[in-house]
Amino acid sequence: MKIVFDLGGSVVMPSTPNPEKIKSFGEVFKKIKDMGHDIAIVVGGGKTARDYINLARELNSNESICDILGIYATRMNALLLSLTLGEYGYKNIPSNFAEAELILNLGKIPVMGGTHPGHTTDAVAAGLAEYIDADLLVVGTNVDGVYDKDPRKYKDAKKIEKLSFSELVELSINASLKAGSSSVIDPLAAKIIERAKIKTVVIKGEPEEILNVGKGKINGTIIE
Ligand code: UTP
């Protein structure tokens, strides 16, 4: 299978980054590649992105410059993750889909960060999945799927097992487009997933759950 993984920056790089944790992501991705899957990874900017975006706002930056700072942070995270991929790693972080596909065709694992202002790495991952005709897009977040309300705030939040493409678009449409915003999935990503009909799963972005996807087991929300 051809799979694109979309990992939130805070999943790979929490407030206190842990090199062992980053390595464990790399180990899992190498295993999935060795199972015969073609994979590409897109990583978010996490705390680094938000810190720089907040500082820039204090300096009266417009949103576009805030986004560009966010993109730099995503690319730093991408390069760190790429270091853990051994012979599958590639030291150049692609800035567009064609470069990423070229790296994939070399038998390596391309790891991308952001591309342009105005969206998040969710949209990059969806765009890459469409461009390379991926069979599956895997969104790894801090929670184990899509809920009807934020499960970190509401105890009675219910997990949604299945969503249609149009339901995903509906759910994402009110998300803020401001730099550094966080939502289940960004609205542009949802629209790309809908138009390209990319089977998408939202799972907890932990190494063991990522490995489960490689084995065909999905514990999360399925969008199709
Ligand atoms: P993300 O929002 O994708 O990273 O990028 P994150 O915060 O780690 O993701 P989640 O919330 O955990 O899923 C950080 C910021 O970088 C800018 C945006 O401002 C975004 O909020 N960015 C990122 C872009 O402008 N363009 C891109 O292609 C990617």
Side-chain angles (χ1 to χ4, degrees):
M1 268 216 297
K2 206 182 271 184
I3 311 173
V4 173
F5 289 90
D6 171 20
L7 293 184
S10 54
V11 163
V12 187
M13 204 71 59
S15 315
T16 318
N18 174 352
E20 292 309 316
K21 184 76 185 279
I22 304 172
K23 271 191 221 163
S24 65
F25 278 103
E27 290 307 315
V28 158
F29 286 123
K30 283 191 279 184
K31 274 189 196 155
I32 297 176
K33 185 85 176 164
D34 285 336
M35 288 172 188
H37 298 296
D38 264 339
I39 63 174
I41 308 168
V42 181
V43 191
K47 183 175 182 298
T48 316
R50 269 175 262 277
D51 285 350
Y52 273 80
I53 288 167
N54 289 338
L55 274 169
R57 284 220 181 92
E58 304 254 356
L59 299 171
N60 295 324
S61 162
N62 63 38
E63 288 301 302
S64 180
I65 300 296
C66 288
D67 278 345
I68 289 167
L69 286 166
I71 293 169
Y72 286 147
T74 62
R75 291 184 179 167
M76 289 200 291
N77 288 344
L79 186 53
L80 273 181
L81 184 60
S82 192
L83 291 178
T84 67
L85 297 174
E87 59 171 330
Y88 295 130
Y90 195 82
K91 294 191 190 82
N92 183 41
I93 299 308
S95 51
N96 60 59
F97 302 148
E99 274 174 44
E101 188 176 52
L102 217 68
I103 297 168
L104 190 68
N105 290 345
L106 291 174
K108 310 253 179 208
I109 303 176
V111 188
M112 286 189 80
T115 53
H116 303 96
H119 53 70
T120 73
T121 44
D122 292 342
V124 176
L128 179 62
E130 180 179 43
Y131 186 88
I132 66 171
D133 292 311
D135 304 293
L136 184 66
L137 170 64
V138 180
V139 182
T141 70
N142 289 316
V143 284
D144 63 344
V146 180
Y147 281 75
D148 58 350
K149 46 192 162 186
D150 189 342
R152 289 166 303 181
K153 283 191 203 147
Y154 302 95
K155 275 205 174 121
D156 62 338
K158 281 195 197 76
K159 189 158 119 186
I160 303 167
E161 299 295 332
K162 270 185 186 252
L163 278 173
S164 66
F165 293 127
S166 57
E167 284 168 336
L168 179 73
V169 169
E170 193 134 317
L171 205 107
S172 71
I173 214 74
N174 291 322
S176 162
L177 278 182
K178 288 190 84 158
S181 302
S182 209
S183 60
V184 178
I185 199 142
D186 111 21
L188 179 58
K191 288 299 276 183
I192 295 170
I193 290 168
E194 183 189 41
R195 80 167 183 182
K197 301 186 175 56
I198 306 162
K199 180 174 178 181
T200 302
V201 297
V202 180
I203 61 162
K204 194 161 172 73
E206 286 297 327
E208 53 275 26
E209 287 304 335
I210 290 171
L211 189 59
N212 273 336
V213 172
K215 294 176 182 165
K217 275 186 253 164
I218 288 154
N219 300 314
T221 300
I222 300 176
I223 301 136
E224 59 187 343

